[in-house]
């Protein structure tokens, strides 16, 4: 079986059924039944038109299921709409499926799971493994999401910004098990970029490519985190960086700046620097200014404080940090770093240890513990 082909066809087949009147949950079940038949029959007798075959079989499965609980008139109306044999229509409804899966009535976690299932074509087991939760838990989450959007019709334009936020959540989940969610997010965003002409879609794709290009250098052989300034830039994926920069430049040329384009511009400046010391921090601060205007996000201002410290010195960074809420995520870690750069190693060591207790994951906690230990060791040895 060609798994890539199956996954590429699944969203289009699902949207054909939904567009013909099937509710989302029933349509998704019917498509899954058709995929099971494909797995059983295609290796021995592959169809000439795989999508048309899946549409026909899925529609028949939907009709079989609906006959048990649907009124006769509605049943007969749907039977009359059964697609005729032959090639499936070439209309790509994938974009509508993105909008449905990113419906505002869904929680972010449910929207991500539904997108991976319906648009990404991943199985419930694969999604559960990626999120390190039991398969039954993920099945319940997906079932609730399907019920939530079952009555939603494609009668109004979807919100591209919401779809992009869902894809960004997928990307930030990273990877585990047999599903690389970062790579999957890039694949889905490429698919979205082919369906809609929007500079922010291109901006998000560029951002993903530029971040993903540094992935190999982000961790040491023992699994510990490697800060950006200490990464081996020879391990960065230059082809992905070049592609990300090209996509970003084309998006910026349209003069419709958005937050993902601004984030990608910052990532591109990091990627463009041959060494950490050659990073254009002044321009990065300017892009953070743009990003702050676009989002009014305090986390953006926290990152800007770091950039200001690099451009204008640690005292300037600390002054920026003093204007921010100290309960912000990673505020303490940033304070530790800036105090270390300012030469106050005792305060920095204390703050690194404090930040370790607040770390969102084990890898970051271990990194902060090591930073505190490093400074304490220097202090004991009088250096």
């Amino acid at each position: 079986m060609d798994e890539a082909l199956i996954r590429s066809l699944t969203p289009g087949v699902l949207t054909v059924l939904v567009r013909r009147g099937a509710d989302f949950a029933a349509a998704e079940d019917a498509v899954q039944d058709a995929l099971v038949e494909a797995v059983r029959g295609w290796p021995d007798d592959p169809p000439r038109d795989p999508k048309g075959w899946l549409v026909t079989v899925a529609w028949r499965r939907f009709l079989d299921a609906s006959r048990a609980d649907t009124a006769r008139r509605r049943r007969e109306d749907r039977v009359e709409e059964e697609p005729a044999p032959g090639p499936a229509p070439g209309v790509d409804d994938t974009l509508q499926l993105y909008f449905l899966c990113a419906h505002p009535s869904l929680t972010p976690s449910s929207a991500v799971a539904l997108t991976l299932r319906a648009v990404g074509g991943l199985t419930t087991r694969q999604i559960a493994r990626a999120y390190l939760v039991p398969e039954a838990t993920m099945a319940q989450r997906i079932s609730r999401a399907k019920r939530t959007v079952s009555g939603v019709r494609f009668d109004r334009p979807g919100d591209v910004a919401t779809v992009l936020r869902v894809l960004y959540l997928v990307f930030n989940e990273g990877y585990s098990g047999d599903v690389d969610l970062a790579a999957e997010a890039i694949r889905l965003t490429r698919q979205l970029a082919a369906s809609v002409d929007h500079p922010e879609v291109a901006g998000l794709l560029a951002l993903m490519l530029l971040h993903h290009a540094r992935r190999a250098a982000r961790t040491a052989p023992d699994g510990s985190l490697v800060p950006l300034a200490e990464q081996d830039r020879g391990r960065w994926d230059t082809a992905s960086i070049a592609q990300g920069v090209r996509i970003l430049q084309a998006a910026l040329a349209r003069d419709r700046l958005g937050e993902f384009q601004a984030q990608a511009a910052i990532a591109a400046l990091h990627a463009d620097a041959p060494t950490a010391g050659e990073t254009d921090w002044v321009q990065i601060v300017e892009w953070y200014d743009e990003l702050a205007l676009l989002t009014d996000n305090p986390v953006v201002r926290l990152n800007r404080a770091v950039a200001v410290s690099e451009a204008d010195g640690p005292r300037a960074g600390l002054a920026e940090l003093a204007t921010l809420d100290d309960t912000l995520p990673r505020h303490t870690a940033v304070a530790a770093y800036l105090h270390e750069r300012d030469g106050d190693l005792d305060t920095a060591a204390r703050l690194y240890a404090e930040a370790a207790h607040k770390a969102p994951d084990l890898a970051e906690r271990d990194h902060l513990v090591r930073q505190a230990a490093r400074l304490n060791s220097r202090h004991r040895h009088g250096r």
Side-chain angles (χ1 to χ4, degrees):
M1 284 297 295
D2 186 343
E3 184 179 346
L5 174 63
I6 288 288
R7 288 172 61 186
S8 68
L9 294 176
T10 297
V13 175
L14 180 54
T15 48
V16 169
L17 268 66
V18 172
R19 186 156 40 84
R20 287 199 173 103
D23 69 84
F24 184 87
E28 211 270 343
D29 288 340
V31 171
Q32 292 301 318
D33 287 343
L35 293 177
V36 170
E37 286 207 29
V39 169
R40 291 172 178 167
W42 284 14
D44 297 325
D45 185 22
R48 291 184 179 179
D49 177 19
K51 182 178 179 181
W53 187 97
L54 287 170
V55 168
T56 300
V57 173
W59 185 255
R60 287 173 180 167
R61 291 294 171 271
F62 166 69
L63 292 177
D64 289 343
S66 65
R67 285 190 180 99
D69 55 5
T70 305
R72 179 174 298 276
R73 174 183 292 182
R74 189 176 181 187
R75 200 167 63 231
E76 291 175 351
D77 288 344
R78 284 176 172 168
V79 169
E80 291 177 1
E81 294 177 6
E82 181 174 348
V91 178
D92 185 3
D93 293 317
T94 304
L95 181 58
Q96 291 177 319
L97 196 57
Y98 273 102
F99 292 138
L100 186 65
C101 293
H103 195 269
S105 61
L106 294 174
T107 64
S109 61
S110 294
V112 167
L114 195 59
T115 298
L116 289 171
R117 173 65 182 263
V119 185
L122 300 182
T123 65
T124 302
R125 178 176 298 179
Q126 287 175 315
I127 300 170
R129 285 177 178 171
Y131 280 90
L132 304 178
V133 300
E135 185 176 350
T137 300
M138 184 56 69
Q140 291 175 353
R141 184 181 301 175
I142 293 173
S143 294
R144 285 195 299 269
K146 285 159 58 176
R147 287 196 297 271
T148 299
V149 301
S150 285
V152 177
R153 306 294 298 176
F154 293 141
D155 56 358
R156 64 183 61 184
D159 181 11
V160 173
T162 301
V163 174
L164 294 181
R165 281 193 292 274
V166 169
L167 290 173
Y168 194 42
L169 284 173
V170 176
F171 181 79
N172 285 333
E173 288 296 334
Y175 69 101
S176 61
D178 59 350
V179 179
D180 184 337
L181 288 182
E184 180 65 13
I186 292 173
R187 185 184 75 83
L188 293 176
T189 306
R190 286 190 194 278
Q191 189 181 69
L192 181 62
S195 303
V196 60
D197 183 21
H198 195 294
E200 272 293 80
V201 177
L204 178 58
L205 179 56
L207 177 63
M208 289 178 175
L209 289 168
L210 290 164
H211 278 319
H212 204 54
R214 302 200 299 263
R215 175 168 161 176
R218 221 175 254 130
T219 54
D222 62 0
S224 60
L225 292 179
V226 179
L228 176 61
E230 300 172 19
Q231 289 176 13
D232 178 0
R233 299 185 178 219
R235 300 183 66 195
W236 289 0
D237 183 347
T238 55
S240 291
I241 290 172
Q243 185 181 30
V245 169
R246 285 196 303 271
I247 292 171
L248 173 63
Q249 289 174 336
L252 292 175
R254 300 178 64 176
D255 199 23
R256 289 170 55 194
L257 185 63
E259 61 177 293
F260 289 118
Q261 294 169 73
Q263 288 187 57
I266 293 168
L269 286 167
H270 283 298
D272 186 56
T275 65
E278 296 174 86
T279 304
D280 189 346
W281 286 106
V282 173
Q283 196 171 350
I284 287 177
V285 171
E286 292 174 356
W287 276 111
Y288 271 121
D289 289 338
E290 294 284 355
L291 190 55
L293 289 173
L294 290 166
T295 66
D296 193 29
N297 186 328
V299 176
V300 169
R301 298 187 182 279
L302 183 66
N303 292 330
R304 181 184 179 278
V306 176
V308 167
S309 78
E310 300 290 347
D312 300 325
R315 294 290 173 89
L318 286 166
E320 292 289 332
L321 190 66
T323 67
L324 302 175
D325 184 351
D326 62 8
T327 63
L328 281 172
R330 297 188 172 87
H331 184 284
T332 307
V334 169
Y337 174 71
L338 297 186
H339 278 289
E340 180 182 358
R341 290 198 69 235
D342 195 38
D344 187 354
L345 303 189
D346 289 341
T347 299
R350 176 178 57 80
L351 290 173
Y352 275 130
E354 183 181 331
H357 289 292
K358 304 176 182 178
D361 56 62
L362 185 62
E364 186 170 335
R365 188 198 70 183
D366 289 347
H367 170 72
L368 293 168
V369 167
R370 282 193 296 271
Q371 298 307 306
R374 174 178 56 82
L375 294 186
N376 285 326
S377 176
R378 288 176 61 181
H379 179 72
R380 284 195 300 271
H381 290 86
R383 287 178 291 173

